[in-house]
Amino acid sequence: MCRPALVLAQTPGVLAWNLDDHLSARDDVGTEYRATSMSSHAGLGSLQTTAWLTPAVPAAARRLTLEFDGIRRVSSPRGGVGIERTLSGGSRNIDIDLCPTPTRCEPPAPPPSAERAADVPRTPTRSVAGFEGVLPVGQTRFGTRRVLCAWAIERYEGRAVFTGALLHEPGAAPRGASLDVWDDRGTVYECSALHEASFGSWTEVAHALTPGIDPAAERLGVRVSLDEEPDQMTIGVRGPGAVAA
């Protein structure tokens, strides 16, 4: 099982984490999982990482518990060597529902002539102060030669971040994947690549969206276009307005 994780810290600095030694997982039927790091992307006060958990999740499992520690903040003094300090708080647990409420819906029709929203510069893209919540996606679409696994849309003040993964033939990682996002209120969001990481037959992507997702939007359309015209995959996601209701 592939398990993406995002860490946001209130303290400034780059984050580092060796999850192979500091992440354990178990489910409610007694399965113990081994975690192996697949990717890690650090920003100021944030860390996006992906773990591969083995063995496969049994069909009877309904809840997954992650226990982790050892996340470090790296300060880089001018002209010196970075100093690592473990974040306070000790070990932490996260319980994950393996059978969440579906967020799939029919995507709204793209606005016929709407202009894209202007990008609003914000640094960093992800921050504790600006975090407003997550829209879980958890959907899969099949292209001609690839599979899109859409994970989530993180909501921040003035921005959002879409994350997902593409499954493909080994050594055939797509280049230049683009994203189009719109909602049922006529807003077309500006999308820009945030990071991309490939490993064998798997490629993780993250795109920043501006402006922030309209809280009143009840449906979102998300279209991922790859380097071949047939490989366009569109999903519909329940927006924050529908989730709040």
Side-chain angles (χ1 to χ4, degrees):
M1 177 177 63
C2 188
R3 178 73 259 173
L6 174 66
V7 181
L8 298 176
Q10 294 179 332
T11 53
V14 175
L15 299 180
W17 186 34
N18 180 8
L19 67 81
D20 296 51
D21 298 325
H22 294 277
L23 174 67
S24 61
R26 63 184 184 278
D27 61 33
D28 56 348
V29 296
T31 312
E32 299 282 344
Y33 298 88
R34 178 176 180 268
T36 304
S37 176
M38 295 185 68
S39 73
S40 182
H41 178 76
L44 293 177
S46 69
L47 174 68
Q48 179 176 338
T49 185
T50 303
W52 184 258
L53 302 182
T54 52
V57 179
R62 292 294 179 267
R63 186 165 296 277
L64 183 72
T65 299
L66 303 180
E67 183 173 351
F68 60 94
D69 60 10
I71 299 174
R72 306 181 305 280
R73 179 173 63 88
V74 183
S75 59
S76 301
R78 183 175 299 177
V81 179
I83 301 173
E84 296 188 0
R85 292 186 175 89
T86 301
L87 298 184
S88 61
S91 178
R92 298 170 173 86
N93 289 347
I94 295 179
D95 288 329
I96 299 171
D97 185 358
L98 295 176
C99 300
T101 302
T103 59
R104 179 175 179 172
C105 67
E106 188 67 24
S113 59
E115 296 183 359
R116 289 181 179 272
D119 192 9
V120 180
R122 295 181 66 88
T123 303
T125 299
R126 290 161 156 156
S127 68
V128 172
F131 182 71
E132 296 180 343
V134 174
L135 290 174
V137 180
Q139 297 186 38
T140 301
R141 293 292 184 275
F142 290 84
T144 56
R145 294 188 303 150
R146 302 175 181 111
V147 177
L148 167 66
C149 301
W151 291 339
I153 297 176
E154 306 154 37
R155 296 177 56 220
Y156 298 89
E157 180 184 0
R159 277 192 190 273
V161 176
F162 168 88
T163 57
L166 294 163
L167 307 181
H168 47 76
E169 293 294 329
R175 290 291 180 265
S178 62
L179 197 71
D180 295 288
V181 180
W182 63 94
D183 63 31
D184 57 351
R185 298 177 64 84
T187 302
V188 178
Y189 298 86
E190 182 68 25
C191 305
S192 56
L194 190 61
H195 94 94
E196 180 178 299
S198 293
F199 181 83
S201 58
W202 165 91
T203 296
E204 178 183 297
V205 295
H207 286 249
L209 318 178
T210 52
I213 302 296
D214 189 338
E218 295 189 356
R219 291 186 298 152
L220 302 174
V222 180
R223 179 172 59 225
V224 178
S225 302
L226 305 179
D227 52 5
E228 293 183 355
E229 186 64 26
D231 278 340
Q232 287 191 347
M233 293 167 276
T234 303
I235 63 176
V237 183
R238 295 175 64 218
V243 173

